[in-house]
Amino acid sequence: MVPTPHATLASLLARHAGRAHELLPLLHALQDTEGYVDPAHVPAIAAALNLSRAEVHGVITFYHHFRSAPPPSTVVQVCRAEACRSRDGEALVAHVQARTGAHIDGDACHGVGVESVYCLGQCALSPAVTINGELHARVSPARFDVLLADAVASKEGRHD
Amino acid sequence: MTETAKSFRIYIPRDSAALALGADRVAAAVAAEATRRGVAIDIVRNGSRGLFWLEPLVEVATPAGRVGYSNVRPSQVAALFDGGWPACAAKDAERDVSHENPDGSWDAAMPACVGRVEAIPYLVRQQRLTFARVGVTDPLDPADYEAHGGLAGLRACLALDAEAACQTVLDSGLRGRGGAAFPAGIKWRTVSRAQSVQKYVVCNADEGDSGTFADRLIMESDPFVLIEGMMIAALSVGASEGIVYVRSEYPHAIAALEAAMAVARREGWLGPDVLGSGRACELRVAKAAGAYICGEETALLESLEGKRGVVRAKPPIPALSGLFGQPTLINNVITLASVPFIFAHGAQTYREYGMGRSQGTLPVQLAGNIRRGGLVELAFGVTLRTLLDDFGGGTASGRPAKAIQVGGPLGAYLPEAQWDVPMDYEAYAALGAVVGHGGVVVHDDTADMAGLASYAMEFCALESCGKCTPCRIGSTRGVEVIERIRRGDTSARQVKLLHDLCDTMVSGSLCAMGGMTPFPVRSALEHFPADFGLPDGAGCAEAA
Ligand SMILES: Cc1cc2nc3c(=O)[nH]c(=O)nc-3n(C[C@H](O)[C@H](O)[C@H](O)COP(=O)(O)O)c2cc1C
Ligand code: SF4
Ligand code: FES
């Protein structure tokens, strides 16, 4: 059974109640189940953990990992750090934008969003990307097209 | 693990680098193909040897040793079996494979046999102390760990009192591998002597530097060595709780560590009664959330306390007042993973590696535009030229190398004239460079150094914790000035402005984020003025 968001939140609030230092694990758990941290939940989280709303909001916005809105159905992250740059990573960024129609760190297009990430630990096999959380290294523009098509197809339930 | 006499043992890595190149699908294909053909096999999901250009590197155990097949693709597995694999591996072990330059060829029609893996020069020429088991063992098999020397360090530590244990670390000469190179033994002793009921050991596994993956490789490929190192640290300083703070960009490392901790708990290596000693220490993983500054130790503590990762002013030092105000030992993954060897083999043995005040080994991470990128563990003192040519085999593009950035995004760009300086903390400091976490990122002659300098400032602006103005605002101004120069305003005024800005950041920043961002910027400007549209010599501070 998939818990409703409210049940998820309620159990998380109960689990971390009164423990301000557990704000990050709580936010991670919430984002892992709902895909993002809904700003509407901030007051309840603040109250449960004995924090001000500003503190909770401040934490959510400080960390790049947390989202305040639902993610697009397909998320592409492209590494923008030095080792990927040394192997045409920025040309890959341009290719990914052109292919998906999405602007990096901007609006998604047809359900595909493109984001920057700064190092995936694959610097010896650069450039590196993730597609819906799955890691890929040594990504050429041609290989990216294949990987993206596979990822979109498997999202749509076609596992061929 | 049971093995029938005729079963072939096949190793397929589960390190994320291998996974990023399809290792899971290769393993599935090998298992399916073996079943279809009735070949008895036993697949071990080992870690990676760190010879990443060969991944996925599939190895078959033979009486003569493990024989490797590089760059295996799922679609090639059936054809591989058609050729008599894996039985042919025994013959391939005898075959004269050129070991001189085993070259991964990602586009090859068939996997290449690289012969006996342990004979590959890239591996033979290394001095693997901390990484000795990496790629060899099953990362989650406790018996395999012990059979390869695991736990000897922890057992030796249990025989020592806290003072003697801290002295061992001091005697080894080990300095923190996370960047600042502070003597580990002094830090351990400070925490050990601090009076408090509650103390913590925190492992910094934030590994945010581009070009670094040594921490990741340890966590994914030999997590037990980190666990053992943390237990040694905890017992030595009197901590009952250890936390590994891992970046969220490393989900495989987090999963591997959590799985390894569960095994270690079951085996009694951690928990209420460590190896039957009656002493207790618990370990857990904390997941970070994508902020580079949280690699800085005090920002990391803030993050562990559930707050924004804003840097704390020191003093007080974390060793006396760290997590929740309690004495806290914070060390990098490699620092802690180096400790089991030191306790097992003696401080003096470790100290025999290295040069000057840089003792022991440094795991160098060869990355960027390099033909054979990977992990190279060597005693301090190796040169970039040796790494680039002998290990790396030159650039991946085949073009001449131009600049090498050492030590992550806050490290300097070294021009060819500096590639013969031995890697040692003091020798690099004399160049105005840093060894940092040992990340080496190669750029070929197409690199635009002005663009990279601009990116360095941009990264600082993006990742600054916001506490001090030179870092928060100066970095944005830095991008603007560099962009003005790149657009053609190459007047001495602009160059001077950039240098002044760098001076302000160096002297006015609370931590190395703002204080070191000028390193890559200035080195690019000084050594590669042409990329900024400047004449020779015009990038130097004195000229400006
Ligand atoms: C901006 C910044 C980022 C850092 N990032 C890391 C990191 O990712 N991993 C790490 O171990 N140390 C990092 N450090 C160094 C830590 O502050 C600290 O020196 C280290 O964790 C101490 O461990 P060690 O003595 O074992 O090196 C960083 C420092 C700064 C200023
Ligand atoms: S230098 Fe930058 S990152 Fe460091 S404390 Fe100051 S503002 Fe924060
Ligand atoms: S720099 Fe891109 S993976 Fe490390």
Side-chain angles (χ1 to χ4, degrees), chain B residues 175-182 187 204-209 215 292-293 295-298 330-333 335 410 511-513:
Chain B
R175 291 163 75 181
R177 298 287 188 253
F182 187 80
K187 207 190 266 186
N204 188 342
D206 202 50
E207 195 162 67
D209 289 0
D215 297 353
Y292 178 79
I293 194 58
E296 195 282 334
E297 58 187 10
T298 62
I330 306 181
N331 275 132
N332 170 255
V333 172
T335 313
L410 311 178
C511 85
M513 182 81 213

Side-chain angles (χ1 to χ4, degrees), chain B residues 293 311 463-468 471-472 509-515:
Chain B
I293 194 58
V311 174
E463 298 295 334
S464 166
C465 85
K467 189 155 181 156
C468 26
C471 168
R472 187 181 69 235
S509 297
L510 184 58
C511 85
M513 182 81 213

Side-chain angles (χ1 to χ4, degrees), chain B residues 179-420:
Chain B
F182 187 80
I186 292 183
K187 207 190 266 186
W188 285 37
R189 202 166 60 192
T190 307
V191 181
S192 185
R193 289 182 181 170
Q195 296 300 315
S196 174
V197 179
Q198 178 73 61
K199 297 180 193 175
Y200 298 98
V201 172
V202 171
C203 172
N204 188 342
D206 202 50
E207 195 162 67
D209 289 0
S210 165
T212 62
F213 42 77
D215 297 353
R216 177 186 73 62
L217 189 58
I218 282 287
M219 291 187 280
E220 292 178 359
S221 298
D222 191 15
F224 290 142
V225 80
L226 176 58
I227 291 173
E228 184 180 349
M230 285 193 71
M231 296 313 293
I232 292 173
L235 296 176
S236 304
V237 304
S240 57
E241 189 177 343
I243 304 162
V244 189
Y245 183 87
V246 190
R247 67 201 310 252
S248 55
E249 292 86 344
Y250 282 0
H252 296 285
I254 292 173
L257 262 186
E258 284 180 336
M261 282 179 188
V263 173
R265 193 168 294 120
R266 196 180 69 215
E267 298 287 321
W269 301 355
L270 60 87
D273 182 19
V274 177
L275 291 185
S277 66
R279 302 169 70 182
C281 183
E282 260 308 330
L283 289 188
R284 68 182 169 92
V285 173
K287 185 174 164 185
Y292 178 79
I293 194 58
C294 290
E296 195 282 334
E297 58 187 10
T298 62
L300 190 160
L301 293 174
E302 290 287 299
S303 184
L304 276 179
E305 293 182 6
K307 303 177 208 151
R308 296 156 66 214
V310 177
V311 174
R312 295 179 185 168
K314 287 186 268 192
I317 53 170
L320 297 176
S321 176
L323 189 61
F324 302 118
Q326 304 304 311
T328 304
L329 178 71
I330 306 181
N331 275 132
N332 170 255
V333 172
I334 303 302
T335 313
L336 291 164
S338 301
V339 164
F341 178 93
I342 292 167
F343 279 80
H345 300 272
Q348 194 51 40
T349 308
Y350 191 73
R351 205 189 176 95
E352 275 156 19
Y353 295 84
M355 61 183 284
R357 289 178 46 225
S358 302
Q359 276 132 4
T361 56
L362 176 73
V364 174
Q365 298 126 90
L366 258 186
N369 197 329
I370 186 97
R371 214 160 123 234
R372 299 194 296 258
L375 190 285
V376 181
E377 182 179 354
L378 282 173
F380 282 92
V382 67
T383 66
L384 286 179
R385 201 178 297 281
T386 299
L387 289 167
L388 175 68
D389 296 341
D390 298 357
F391 285 91
T395 61
S397 60
R399 304 182 61 94
K402 173 177 175 178
I404 304 183
Q405 188 178 28
V406 183
L410 311 178
Y413 283 103
L414 280 70
E416 184 167 1
Q418 299 178 335
W419 295 350
D420 296 305

Side-chain angles (χ1 to χ4, degrees), chain A residues 63-78:
Chain A
Y63 294 97
H64 303 306
H65 179 83
F66 297 124
R67 300 171 186 280
S68 291
S73 63
T74 297
V75 177
V76 177
Q77 295 183 311
V78 191

